[in-house]
Amino acid sequence: MPDFAQPQPGSEQLRSRIDRKLLCSVASEPSVAGKMELYLALSQVAREQLATRWVNTQHADRESKARRVYYLSMEFLIGRAMNNALSALDLRDSAAAVFTAPGPSLGEVMECEPDAALGNGGLGRLAACFLDSMATLGLPSWGYGVRYEYGMFAQSILNGQQVEKPEAWLQDRSPWEFPRPGKHHTVRFGGTCEHHDEWAEWHAADSVEAKAFDYVIPGHGTERVSTLRLWKAAAPAEIDLGAFNTGDYQRAAEFKNRFENISWVLYPNDSTAAGRELRLRQEYFFVSASLQDILERHLIEHGTFTNLAEKIAIHLNDTHPAIGVAELMRLLIDDHGMSWAAAWDQCRRIFSYTNHTLMPEALETWKVSLINRVLPRHLLIIYRINQEFLDEVVRLYPGDIELMRRVSLIDDGGGHDRDKRVRMAHLCIVGSHRVNGVSQLHSDLMVQTIFADFARLYPERFHNKTNGVTPRRWLAQANPALSTLLDERLGGKDWRLNLDRLQDLRASADDAGFRNAFATAKRDNKLRLANYVAREVGIVLNPDSLFDVQVKRIHEYKRQLLNVLHVITRYNALLDGSAVGLAPRSVLFAGKAASSYHMAKQVIRLIHDVAAVVNNDPRTRDMLQVVFIPNYGVSVAELIMPAANLSEQISTAGTEASGTGNMKLSLNGALTIGTEDGANIEIRDNVGAENIFIFGNNTAQVNAIREAGHRPMDFYRDDPALKEALDRIDSGFFSPSDRPRYHDIFNSLLHYGDHYLLLADYADYVATQKRVDALYLSPDEWQRKAIINVAGMGPFSADRTISDYANDTWNLGTYLK
Ligand code: 26Q
């Protein structure tokens, strides 16, 4: 077991290091340094130590010719780096002791750091948790991605509506990044191909430079640090200068933009974004640079590519880096002279792929004509892969034309050339030796539905890897109050590295003293959040009310609207006196809507309109409050997770691939109200059905309802409480100055089929919410169940997930300690 108690500098020594950095690096006089200067100086101290560890790690991996895993992802939702770096270096306590009154506290200093929000949501945050676990478990591991100038937009609320603002997180540079001026690769686009037998010469029309910027990823309880290497696009220097020298600055600037726009901005995860040429260029840009980098490193170490698959594993985080399959083939064949057969053999042993969604509209495809224009050589390679694959299919299932049509890498668009598309998921499956879903249910549905044909062809290829979250960031760092309590109870800090240790808490659920301490920690965290809400939103929350939390991207399938229907129902019941046995509640929402997603934006607006009515009604104020916390992201989540009593995980069964917020909330002692969807099912299996509120139709029932024809109007007609809630939305009760405002929401439920079956789950949801109140009114029982939830969360550590990948997918089991 790594030792957390290595001698670290005391606060005196740290203070003098910070002062020195203030003087020599930040150029600021210690006695007058402000928060920002202190943040910069402290980050320099940490950076220096991480740099040394990084050099040592790289040296050791090179010397041992380590097998490495490369995690390719368009998104890494990192958040802030400081707290995590200090914890990994075991400097947290001394840093806290350095920053004392009357100066700023460590917390205030850390808040100077902007979030690195290079991701949309779950998929990007999962990648960040995985980097943490890979380093912590001692895997020789790298992340590769895009260094977006602008990551996720910042959300503010104006008159109850979402406003998006670009977030220039790099404006003042990041003290955590290490530019690598010597590391760059050329990425080419367009042009034509000249064929020679198995290989081709690609005469590209354009090229752009990919420049490397590294972020150190510290492991915990180990000196290993891994690397997240992000690529920035830059115009090729020579040509740029040409226009510059002639004094044509405008042309020089246009030229620069044409290239640098590739890494300019993160794409939102809405389907309207798919099909944009710039997105394809972004995907290829980072994949090509990363693969060139990986091959270069391998060649320096081994001098040959014949052992490539023995030495590297490459993981595809969804289909976004799928073009990597064709790019690796191109690099090995065209640039390094390997035969097609040898290259294909390597390729299939190297790649693995994770699918994150079953929704057909979210499966990535690209027009053949677009790929042909932007990546002509890759299109040829994809066609040949497809031809050999379909030859194999014919051998296995002769004459099954329909099967061939379904599994082909090319959707033939009904025979119209301009409608032909490349199916990126099929390319990933055919080019990988492992394919996985992200929860047991999702993996099961994957092989029963969208990939059923492939599962029949290659049954050994399909696996489940249930997601996890890093307990360092999401418990140890985000929730010091509970962590201290756990350290005392569990007799040490090693649960941070072995989350199964939480099991020992089960016994403490029966200990009244512990339940009290547990409740006190929760209340402290609720106060902390209430202070934040008062400051940011101007609403004063009652810390003794039940904090009912739904925080995630706003999407119809996640059914924030079902939550709103419950809020309105509760409000109506409080008004008409039919409410009995209810506990005071604060219903908290947070999440961003994709900027072009009308329905999601309407939901945000409705939440605000409902909040305005409910919060200002003196008759209900003590029993019900509604708050929308703006700009949800990693740092806001770190405040919310520890403060929640109830976790809303209410997606339509069969739609949420896994969820990871569900794990973070339960880990911090919230009880879940949720459907039988994604990882909720496994959470129930681990905490026990009596310690979670599961409601609604399961996947089989959802399918049956849809097959029989869902009749939302029947539910509306037969359930007076539901009718009343819906009518209040439709009548403009919450939008008196603009009564038709929510007709579209009403219509989507009643007249356009209620696609996500809110009305079919409403009654059970409301009934289950009543059981939640009853339990909350028995604090002892509530605390007991909350403690058992925490105790059951061991399997949802990202360390468990990554160990499983290391063993079953990446063949890196020997590196696990
Ligand atoms: C695709 C094409 C063009 C532009 C953007 C995209 C795009 C970007 C991001 C498509 C999807 C995403 C993100 C998906 C995502 O976050 N999925 C979530 O992944 C989590 C981690 O596995 C799961 O827990 C969630 O259930 C799943 O919704």
Side-chain angles (χ1 to χ4, degrees), residues 69-111:
V69 58
Y70 295 106
Y71 197 83
L72 267 51
S73 178
M74 282 292 275
E75 307 195 2
F76 290 93
L77 199 40
I78 304 278
R80 291 184 178 131
M82 180 75 90
N83 201 1
N84 186 53
L86 294 177
S87 306
L89 295 165
D90 206 11
L91 289 174
R92 250 291 322 208
D93 292 346
S94 2
V98 165
F99 297 99
T100 48
S105 67
L106 176 60
E108 288 168 316
V109 169
M110 291 195 299
E111 277 167 26

Side-chain angles (χ1 to χ4, degrees), residues 464-624:
N464 172 244
K465 292 285 168 285
T466 299
N467 284 166
V469 301
T470 170
R472 273 74 65 182
R473 182 175 293 263
W474 294 111
L475 185 51
Q477 294 153 33
N479 196 343
L482 180 54
S483 297
T484 307
L485 195 59
L486 296 178
D487 292 346
E488 287 164 16
R489 253 305 131 147
L490 300 171
K493 296 173 173 245
D494 66 329
W495 54 266
R496 289 165 176 71
L497 299 176
N498 179 6
L499 202 62
D500 287 328
R501 289 281 286 103
L502 294 181
Q503 268 181 12
D504 294 357
L505 278 184
R506 252 172 241 268
S508 301
D510 294 325
D511 174 341
F514 184 74
R515 285 199 304 269
N516 269 332
F518 187 87
T520 304
K522 178 62 76 181
R523 193 169 188 285
D524 288 350
N525 293 329
K526 289 168 76 174
L527 272 175
R528 188 173 64 157
L529 178 62
N531 285 331
Y532 178 82
V533 167
R535 226 174 31 243
E536 297 290 322
V537 194
I539 293 175
V540 178
L541 293 173
N542 167 12
D544 295 314
S545 65
L546 185 166
F547 278 21
D548 171 350
V549 167
Q550 188 172 22
V551 290
K552 49 184 78 241
R553 288 300 292 256
I554 313 291
H555 206 295
E556 284 159 288
Y557 82 80
K558 295 175 187 283
R559 301 199 296 190
Q560 280 91 357
L561 190 51
L562 178 59
N563 189 339
V564 175
L565 286 175
H566 165 246
V567 169
I568 298 173
T569 303
R570 178 167 291 244
Y571 175 66
N572 293 340
L574 287 166
L575 287 184
D576 70 20
S578 64
V580 284
L582 297 190
R585 259 197 210 226
S586 302
V587 182
L588 311 180
F589 293 89
K592 291 175 182 174
S595 54
S596 62
Y597 193 168
H598 171 73
M599 271 300 172
K601 288 188 150 177
Q602 282 291 84
V603 168
I604 291 179
R605 191 173 198 185
L606 176 61
I607 291 168
H608 282 92
D609 280 344
V610 170
V613 169
V614 170
N615 297 344
N616 290 311
D617 192 330
R619 297 168 297 178
T620 57
R621 202 164 13 206
D622 294 342
M623 288 300 286
L624 183 60

Side-chain angles (χ1 to χ4, degrees), residues 109 112 134 223 279 336 424 543 661 667 694 705 748 757 787 791:
V109 169
C112 291
M134 289 189 276
E223 302 243 322
R279 166 86 182 183
H336 297 288
M424 303 313 267
L667 180 63
I694 296 291
I705 292 173
S748 80
L757 308 189
I787 292 165

Side-chain angles (χ1 to χ4, degrees), residues 75 120-124 126 267-271 273-275 279 283 317-318 320 354-357 362 364 366 438 467 557-558 655-662:
E75 307 195 2
N120 273 291
L123 168 149
L126 185 76
Y267 266 90
N269 66 342
D270 60 77
S271 31
R279 166 86 182 183
E283 293 181 354
N317 196 23
D318 214 299
H320 313 155
T354 296
N355 169 278
H356 296 265
T357 181
E364 206 179 5
W366 290 102
V438 289
N467 284 166
Y557 82 80
K558 295 175 187 283
T655 62
E656 188 70 272
S658 161
T660 45
N662 47 2

